[in-house]
Amino acid sequence: MRKRLYIPFICFALAVLSVSEITAQEKFFRAIGTPHEPKVEVSWNRYNTYDGVVDIMQRIAKAYPNLTRLESIGKSVEGRDIWLLAVSDFKTGDPNRKPAMYIDGNIHSNEIQGAEFSLYTAWYLTEMFDELDFIEELLKDKTFYIVPTINPDARDNFMKEPNTPHSPRSGMLVLDNDGDGEAGEDRFDDLNEDNHITMMIRKSPTGRFIKDPQDPRRLIRVESDQQGEYEMLGFEGVDRDGDGRVNEDGIGYYDPNRDWGWKWQPDYVQRGAYKYPFSLPETRAVADFVLKHPNIAGAQSYHNYGGMILRGPGAEEDLDTYNKEDIRIYDAIAKKGEEMIPGYRYLVVYKDLYSVFGGELDWFYGGRGIYTYTNELMVSYLYFHNNEGRGNQEEELKVDKYLTFGDAFVDWSEYSHPQFGTIEIGGFKKNFSRAHPGFLLEQDAHRNMAFTIYHAYHTPKLSMLEVEEKTIGNGLREITATIYNERLMPTHSSQDLKYNIERPDYVTLSGANVVAGMVVENADFNIVKEQVHNPQKMEVENIPGMGTVKVRWIVSGGGTYSIKVDSAKGGVVEWKK
């Protein structure tokens, strides 16, 4: 009896499944440039805690085992894994031998959207691999190393604990910020218990502010000869240690982006530096990974705020590091980025912002010869496409009124403060201003991802343009191979060549008796540079972007042979006769 019921049940289930599939097809219509039916469903209009970030990475790795590998590259101060997702087509070669793009975000814990932008890149590459020839070809040639958050401890602190939009910037080491011999004893106090640290104001006959009669959320500074009604008391909190100051000793003052081993300066020169370069386990973990992966040719870090595509140098004292040939490549990629990401500007850190010593951006390029950008995510242009306003209070109040409908602001409310008496607490929430509102998150993630993919696309791509062979008498043949780099970036940046950071490119001829080997410096006038030792394996200093290198051998005897190009940042190319 059970068997007779079982078969109709299967038929019924298949019928329901068929109807369900038809219904799904009727309900959705494909949008250009977006995964239509992703294996990994992710909402890109919200932010993820550390556990949420790890969950998405794990689901991507599980759904795409032939395209991804998930690994921990180290531990944070509080013992969390720093997860990296490698994305490449593993069926087309060892991912660690392909030209690679490194991407990270969230080095500053309050600059949260870098993790989502990094994750979006991994998700998009895997979901679109079978949809777009361009993505398939890209992952056949390249590898992406993606670390969504390199500050996982303080990311969770920013989200789960009361904070301002600007705190904590550091990791979770608790230090003595105010020099009183105690560490972390006067942190923020969430007086109204809403998980946001907003502002405190108090009525005062000597106050310099009034509430705007047209918009009571807004405080207006009065003219110098006018009397105000309110004084500003700063971010909400109490004086915990009785020193007459509020919130002056919170989570450590150090800056993880001042901890890198290039032009590092101690704290008394560069505020925020910690003990010594790479003294933090999070930055050390990244550095160790990069040192073990010489195939990394390009890098991208995501910060906020301001809508900027930044390159180094971080300090004017480091100007000589950036060679004009490399700047030409930086300019070409970043100016294309300005077209891709409306409202973003291509800037130089020291010249257009401020001086930075010991920054990640400069270590990647100065210390490793890797072309690297930092994007400062989110800019007020995205709200109303207005270039005039960049994050001023008037515009932010307008955004909250017309676009987020009051969700970004905590209305002023009275509070009885133990030290200040009757005050009012209110202001913008921690997840506004620096962080994208949800409706802008996916669009900006996609545009920044497109810029990063463009950068990755222009890491070296080598091919054998032609192999010429001719007989020169006495049983000898001359074999000339022309190796072409099809992309903007050379196999060695000028900084790389200056300090011999990476080994030369090798061009090896196998299967024939090599008598002599040389690099052809001028084919028209037959000017060559001979390599006397081990001529079978020619050492080539550099293969320029959008350029060629010719290598020539004199061989004896007949038979077949093969040629192999082996470049740390340019990958491996083989040719067989």
Side-chain angles (χ1 to χ4, degrees):
M1 185 68 176
R2 291 173 64 186
K3 289 184 179 180
R4 286 199 296 272
L5 289 172
Y6 183 67
I7 294 172
F9 175 78
I10 292 175
C11 295
F12 174 76
L14 291 173
V16 170
L17 181 61
S18 177
V19 171
S20 175
E21 288 176 347
I22 293 171
T23 304
Q25 291 171 3
E26 291 175 347
K27 288 169 65 177
F28 301 114
F29 179 69
R30 191 180 189 281
I32 291 298
T34 300
H36 184 52
E37 294 181 292
K39 290 183 180 179
V40 180
E41 292 281 357
V42 183
S43 295
W44 296 110
N45 59 357
R46 63 188 182 191
Y47 295 98
N48 298 275
T49 65
Y50 170 75
D51 287 340
V53 169
V54 175
D55 175 66
I56 293 171
M57 297 178 80
Q58 289 174 337
R59 286 193 285 137
I60 292 173
K62 183 178 180 180
Y64 294 98
N66 294 325
L67 297 177
T68 60
R69 288 178 187 166
L70 184 62
E71 66 173 293
S72 172
I73 62 171
K75 297 281 189 180
S76 66
V77 166
E78 294 184 342
R80 290 179 175 85
D81 282 301
I82 300 169
W83 290 105
L84 176 145
L85 198 63
V87 183
S88 185
D89 182 357
F90 297 146
K91 292 182 290 185
T92 58
D94 181 354
N96 295 332
R97 296 306 314 277
K98 299 178 183 180
M101 183 79 191
Y102 171 87
I103 304 169
D104 72 29
N106 200 200
I107 188 172
H108 294 134
S109 54
N110 62 316
E111 300 180 1
I112 54 176
Q113 60 266 62
E116 274 66 33
F117 283 36
S118 301
L119 277 173
Y120 182 86
T121 304
W123 176 79
Y124 191 90
L125 289 171
T126 51
E127 295 290 349
M128 298 300 281
F129 178 78
D130 289 328
E131 299 288 334
L132 297 177
D133 292 342
F134 174 83
I135 299 298
E136 182 181 357
E137 186 70 20
L138 185 73
L139 294 185
K140 181 175 75 174
D141 294 339
K142 314 290 186 185
T143 298
F144 289 78
Y145 298 123
I146 299 173
V147 187
T149 174
I150 58 176
N151 196 343
D153 300 340
R155 177 183 182 84
D156 265 16
N157 180 274
F158 174 81
M159 293 180 174
K160 296 178 179 180
E161 302 299 327
N163 276 293
T164 76
H166 316 294
S167 69
R169 183 176 172 84
S170 67
M172 292 305 293
L173 284 174
V174 181
L175 305 176
D176 180 12
N177 295 353
D178 58 355
D180 66 353
E182 296 184 63
E185 81 282 357
D186 198 358
R187 307 183 189 184
F188 292 121
D189 299 280
D190 185 13
L191 303 179
N192 57 355
E193 298 181 345
D194 63 356
N195 200 35
H196 300 278
I197 298 298
T198 52
M199 302 302 295
M200 300 186 296
I201 60 175
R202 178 174 63 180
K203 286 189 174 182
S204 169
T206 59
R208 305 308 302 150
F209 298 89
I210 61 171
K211 287 184 178 178
D212 186 345
Q214 302 299 317
D215 186 348
R217 298 174 302 168
R218 182 186 181 199
L219 292 181
I220 303 174
R221 180 179 286 275
V222 297
E223 298 293 335
S224 57
D225 60 349
Q226 293 178 328
Q227 184 177 7
E229 187 180 2
Y230 287 93
E231 63 177 333
M232 300 288 295
L233 300 174
F235 287 112
E236 62 181 294
V238 298
D239 178 10
R240 291 187 182 187
D241 55 0
D243 65 355
R245 294 182 291 173
V246 176
N247 304 337
E248 85 286 352
D249 198 12
I251 298 300
Y253 64 83
Y254 66 94
D255 186 333
N257 201 34
R258 307 293 184 268
D259 190 54
W260 301 78
W262 183 261
K263 305 297 181 181
W264 182 89
Q265 294 290 337
D267 185 69
Y268 66 83
V269 175
Q270 172 63 78
R271 179 63 173 169
Y274 194 44
K275 295 178 179 178
Y276 46 82
F278 301 120
S279 53
L280 299 169
E282 296 90 348
T283 56
R284 168 57 68 183
V286 172
D288 286 346
F289 179 85
V290 173
L291 289 167
K292 293 174 185 175
H293 292 79
N295 59 321
I296 297 173
Q300 173 72 52
S301 64
Y302 287 125
H303 293 231
N304 75 35
Y305 166 90
M308 306 174 200
I309 301 169
L310 297 174
R311 72 159 174 87
E316 188 173 7
E317 293 86 338
D318 202 19
L319 264 176
D320 290 344
T321 296
Y322 284 73
N323 178 283
K324 65 179 182 180
E325 287 302 311
D326 286 348
I327 291 174
R328 180 182 63 83
I329 294 165
Y330 270 111
D331 290 351
I333 294 172
K335 287 176 180 177
K336 183 62 69 175
E338 286 184 317
E339 297 177 33
M340 295 178 180
I341 320 174
Y344 281 56
R345 299 166 295 155
Y346 172 43
L347 303 173
V348 179
V349 175
Y350 89 90
K351 183 171 65 175
D352 299 308
L353 294 179
Y354 42 72
S355 290
V356 173
F357 295 96
E360 180 184 17
L361 178 70
D362 284 323
W363 179 78
F364 265 83
Y365 176 72
R368 302 306 304 157
I370 297 168
Y371 296 96
T372 307
Y373 298 95
T374 288
N375 283 18
E376 296 284 354
L377 305 172
M378 186 56 205
V379 62
S380 69
Y381 175 84
L382 300 179
Y383 291 132
F384 301 113
H385 292 184
N386 177 8
N387 277 314
E388 298 301 320
R390 286 191 175 271
N392 60 69
Q393 185 190 57
E394 184 176 354
E395 183 182 55
E396 289 175 348
L397 289 168
K398 186 179 174 183
V399 170
D400 188 43
K401 181 177 181 179
Y402 295 112
L403 297 178
T404 62
F405 310 106
D407 192 27
F409 196 90
V410 177
D411 290 330
W412 299 107
S413 61
E414 281 195 1
Y415 180 83
S416 181
H417 194 281
Q419 285 131 1
F420 295 131
T422 300
I423 65 170
E424 293 180 36
I425 300 172
F428 287 112
K429 298 177 181 178
K430 66 182 177 183
N431 53 342
F432 182 63
S433 72
R434 298 180 72 109
H436 294 71
F439 71 93
L440 290 177
L441 195 60
E442 183 168 359
Q443 178 192 149
D444 209 26
H446 187 92
R447 289 182 180 277
N448 275 270
M449 176 206 67
F451 166 67
T452 303
I453 284 179
Y454 182 77
H455 184 179
Y457 175 81
H458 278 293
T459 58
K461 177 178 170 61
L462 306 181
S463 59
M464 199 72 67
L465 193 62
E466 62 178 352
V467 177
E468 299 176 289
E469 180 181 337
K470 67 178 182 179
T471 301
I472 57 176
N474 297 320
L476 300 176
R477 290 178 294 159
E478 179 185 278
I479 300 171
T480 303
T482 303
I483 300 105
Y484 178 41
N485 183 353
E486 303 175 24
R487 301 292 187 260
L488 277 174
M489 291 185 201
T491 53
H492 296 75
S493 65
S494 298
Q495 181 72 353
D496 185 342
L497 294 173
K498 182 178 179 180
Y499 288 103
N500 295 316
I501 295 171
E502 193 45 66
R503 64 166 173 83
D505 302 323
Y506 298 134
V507 185
T508 304
L509 188 145
S510 302
N513 181 36
V514 176
V515 177
M518 60 212 75
V519 174
V520 180
E521 295 183 336
N522 189 314
D524 295 322
F525 295 98
N526 199 31
I527 299 173
V528 299
K529 181 180 180 181
E530 185 179 3
Q531 178 179 307
V532 176
H533 299 289
N534 193 20
Q536 182 175 347
K537 185 178 183 179
M538 294 295 300
E539 296 184 2
V540 175
E541 182 182 63
N542 190 31
I543 304 174
M546 308 301 294
T548 61
V549 166
K550 289 182 181 288
V551 177
R552 180 174 294 161
W553 296 271
I554 307 300
V555 303
S556 63
T560 60
Y561 56 88
S562 63
I563 300 171
K564 179 180 179 180
V565 183
D566 182 353
S567 170
K569 288 182 170 60
V572 178
V573 176
E574 297 188 69
W575 179 94
K576 293 183 179 180
K577 182 179 178 182

